[in-house]
Amino acid sequence: QLLKRVYGGAMPVEKKREFYKLSQRLNENTQEKRELSETAASFVCENDIIALDSGSTSAAFVSVLKERFHHLTVVTHSLYVFNALRDTDFKIILLGGEYLKDEDAFYGYMTLDMLQNLHVSKSFLCPEAISLDYGVFDRVHELLPIQRNYLTICDKPILLADSSKFETVASLKICGFSPKLIFITDSKLPQEIYELYQKEGVPIIKKGS
């Protein structure tokens, strides 16, 4: 594996991730996504109002939310998340718009218009790639404005990413790093990456840390 020199050591060079349709990603890194979702659920309180991104990590997270909570309000543009929550007592606010079949989610100006008139306590964002040098990324250009707006309508933005996504890059930048952002990952994140992010003031939470 290629390494790059950093102060005090070395870490893997950023690599571009392979990207697949949602139907395929649902079967990737399932254990890691379940683990980080259980950690992320500790940031949610009964009766909370939260926003939830689309994607396979959201699919894992919503399963944990169903197990642990009885009454939440969930704002989402993901039809997958909506369908997963239909049999609960959660209040669901589905952001409608144009339908993106490969991601089972809505997008466009109608989606954004609804979103910009809402406020939530926490937004849970699920990016495709995270690089200390370059920032937070995704690949689906239709959904990028929604992800960026989730960061602006909440009191606390929380990013959920399994360990395979760290020190990788993708084509579309969602945001840079800021003190408000909290990153939650699984226990397989290499210790040298965890320590470097901590040293740079990027709060990462993982099981056992």
Side-chain angles (χ1 to χ4, degrees):
Q1 186 176 32
L2 293 176
L3 299 177
K4 65 176 179 179
R5 293 194 61 82
V6 296
Y7 182 78
M11 65 186 295
V13 174
E14 290 95 347
K15 55 188 181 295
K16 289 200 171 183
R17 286 173 51 81
E18 295 283 341
F19 188 71
Y20 305 100
K21 294 180 180 180
L22 175 63
S23 57
Q24 294 170 275
R25 303 199 313 272
L26 289 170
N27 298 313
E28 289 183 337
N29 301 323
T30 54
Q31 182 179 346
E32 291 85 351
K33 291 170 184 174
R34 171 73 190 193
E35 183 185 297
L36 72 86
S37 294
E38 290 174 348
T39 302
S42 66
F43 284 80
V44 180
C45 304
E46 195 72 61
N47 298 309
D48 240 345
I49 303 173
I50 66 172
L52 184 52
D53 201 358
S54 59
S56 59
T57 304
S58 288
F61 186 42
V62 80
S63 294
V64 174
L65 293 178
K66 288 176 66 174
E67 294 169 8
R68 296 199 180 182
F69 299 97
H70 299 288
H71 300 286
L72 296 175
T73 298
V74 178
V75 176
T76 188
H77 63 293
S78 167
L79 189 58
Y80 184 100
V81 169
F82 172 81
N83 284 324
L85 294 177
R86 288 176 66 183
D87 61 348
T88 70
D89 290 327
F90 293 5
K91 181 178 180 181
I92 312 167
I93 300 175
L94 179 62
L95 305 171
E98 191 167 350
Y99 181 61
L100 187 62
K101 184 176 181 180
D102 285 350
E103 294 298 311
D104 202 15
F106 294 100
Y107 72 99
Y109 77 92
M110 290 182 286
T111 316
L112 288 173
D113 188 54
M114 289 183 66
L115 182 58
Q116 289 164 355
N117 286 287
L118 297 172
H119 184 83
V120 299
S121 60
K122 295 122 189 169
S123 285
F124 291 91
L125 203 66
C126 303
E128 177 63 22
I130 300 168
S131 163
L132 193 56
D133 286 339
Y134 302 113
V136 180
F137 293 84
D138 214 296
R139 292 181 188 268
V140 185
H141 69 88
E142 293 95 338
L143 303 181
L144 191 70
I146 301 167
Q147 293 172 307
R148 288 175 172 170
N149 273 269
Y150 277 150
L151 296 175
T152 67
I153 65 159
C154 65
D155 298 324
K156 182 179 293 185
I158 301 171
L159 281 72
L160 310 183
D162 70 71
S163 52
S164 71
K165 296 178 179 178
F166 282 83
E167 290 313 291
T168 65
V169 291
S171 54
L172 302 172
K173 186 172 182 177
I174 300 172
C175 64
F177 294 101
S178 81
K180 285 187 66 176
L181 299 180
I182 297 172
F183 293 82
I184 297 178
T185 190
D186 58 86
S187 58
K188 290 185 179 179
L189 182 73
Q191 188 65 17
E192 63 269 23
I193 293 180
Y194 173 75
E195 291 177 355
L196 184 61
Y197 274 64
Q198 292 285 349
K199 183 177 179 180
E200 294 297 323
V202 180
I204 295 182
I205 298 169
K206 66 171 185 172
K207 189 174 182 179
S209 64

